[in-house]
Amino acid sequence: MALPSYATPLDKAWYISFRVICAAIFAFLIIPILVIIPLSFNSEPYFTYPMPGFSLRWYEEFFTSQQWLLGLKNSIVVGVFATLVASVLGTLAALGLNRAEYPGKSAILAVLISPIIVPIVITAAGMFYFYAKIGLTGSLAGLVFAHATIGVPFVVITVSATLAGFDNNLVRAAASLGASPVRTFQKVTMPLILPGIVSGGLFAFITSWDELVIAIFLATTEEHTLPRRMWSGIREMLSPTIMAVATLLILTSIALMVTMELLRRRTERLRGITN
């Protein structure tokens, strides 16, 4: 937004300073991430600039390595199923919390979102001891449930935010016209809260896609996800293939973030906040 014609020299100085500060903060946050991408195309196995040449050899190594492909498959399987479980449980929890006021509602909400508040290493240690008792350590099922646990809070938060603008008169109108509760949910409630569910699901998927600490506690070699495989690679033999994998993870996360932003705008249009 341009300055008005009556702006004072102090206003102009603040106008410029504010943008310089914002640019510096943006650069501080984004440059450490972007610096990885060119290194993934380095023709030599070094992590230095300037690069001697351009090559796709590290991407070729990734797509021809059984270990990396196993990690990719495990990440996709765990991420998809953890997202489905988190979406269902989180949506049910948000609908229940939105129904009415009752004692302990705030405490229940605090418990539901606690996995994103408690340090992840504490959560992972607790999961390890609990899942070991029921035989879920060293299995993809254990990783799915663990990642779903840390994904549920995002679904609860996004669906609850969507329900905050939900007009319950629509439900009463459907009921007055003879629709059953199930049909009312399918035809009225679900279409309106779907953007919130999808947004929460995408957050849950990104959380699972990038998660490392829980995988260290629960996964054996056969259940290694991409972040867990990268961690092992860093400790055993530092290879630029890790940069290629990191680039793919970054691009996937950016694509999902763009999708979430589009869904957020659609939700605002449905709620009449924007045109």
Side-chain angles (χ1 to χ4, degrees):
M1 184 176 67
L3 280 173
S5 57
Y6 52 82
T8 65
L10 184 60
D11 292 334
K12 293 178 181 177
W14 171 245
Y15 178 84
I16 296 173
S17 301
F18 179 74
R19 277 152 182 75
V20 170
I21 292 171
C22 290
I25 293 173
F26 181 77
F28 178 77
L29 294 174
I30 203 70
I31 286 178
I33 299 174
L34 294 182
V35 75
I36 293 173
I37 297 176
L39 289 175
S40 68
F41 297 101
N42 196 348
S43 61
E44 298 297 331
Y46 306 124
F47 298 93
T48 58
Y49 287 104
M51 300 190 312
F54 177 88
S55 174
L56 295 175
R57 58 182 291 195
W58 310 117
Y59 289 91
E60 181 182 358
E61 184 173 316
F62 170 74
F63 286 108
T64 56
S65 167
Q66 292 300 318
Q67 287 184 327
W68 284 113
L69 291 179
L70 177 62
L72 176 62
K73 186 192 79 172
N74 288 340
S75 284
I76 293 174
V77 170
V78 172
V80 168
F81 283 98
T83 300
L84 291 175
V85 174
S87 298
V88 172
L89 297 180
T91 301
L92 292 175
L95 289 171
L97 290 169
N98 186 63
R99 288 296 181 187
E101 294 295 333
Y102 49 85
K105 181 177 177 179
S106 298
I108 294 173
L109 178 61
V111 171
L112 286 173
I113 65 173
S114 62
I116 60 175
I117 300 173
V118 177
I120 189 66
V121 67
I122 296 175
T123 303
M127 286 178 176
F128 172 75
Y129 287 112
F130 177 69
Y131 286 6
K133 294 286 185 183
I134 59 177
L136 282 178
T137 52
S139 68
L140 286 180
L143 272 182
V144 167
F145 288 123
H147 285 188
T149 301
I150 60 174
V152 164
F154 296 103
V155 181
V156 170
I157 291 171
T158 56
V159 176
S160 296
T162 305
L163 288 170
F166 183 76
D167 187 359
N168 286 305
N169 289 326
L170 296 174
V171 176
R172 299 187 187 97
S176 69
L177 293 173
S180 65
V182 174
R183 188 170 179 79
T184 300
F185 179 79
Q186 291 176 337
K187 298 296 182 181
V188 178
T189 305
M190 188 66 179
L192 291 175
I193 67 172
L194 187 59
I197 298 174
V198 176
S199 295
L202 290 175
F203 271 117
F205 183 82
I206 291 176
T207 303
S208 171
W209 185 251
D210 295 334
E211 203 286 324
L212 169 64
V213 179
I214 291 176
I216 290 176
F217 275 83
L218 298 183
T220 63
T221 306
E222 292 299 316
E223 294 85 37
H224 276 185
T225 57
L226 278 181
R228 180 66 179 88
R229 181 64 202 151
M230 291 172 68
W231 175 252
S232 298
I234 291 171
R235 295 183 61 190
E236 295 166 2
M237 184 180 66
L238 198 56
S239 165
T241 307
I242 294 173
M243 296 299 178
V245 179
T247 301
L248 295 175
L249 290 175
I250 291 170
L251 295 178
T252 304
S253 298
I254 290 174
L256 293 175
M257 293 297 290
V258 170
T259 304
M260 284 190 289
E261 175 61 18
L262 295 176
L263 288 171
R264 185 189 66 79
R265 295 184 180 185
R266 182 177 183 274
T267 303
E268 290 185 350
R269 284 199 301 272
L270 289 174
R271 295 169 61 183
I273 297 176
T274 60
N275 296 321

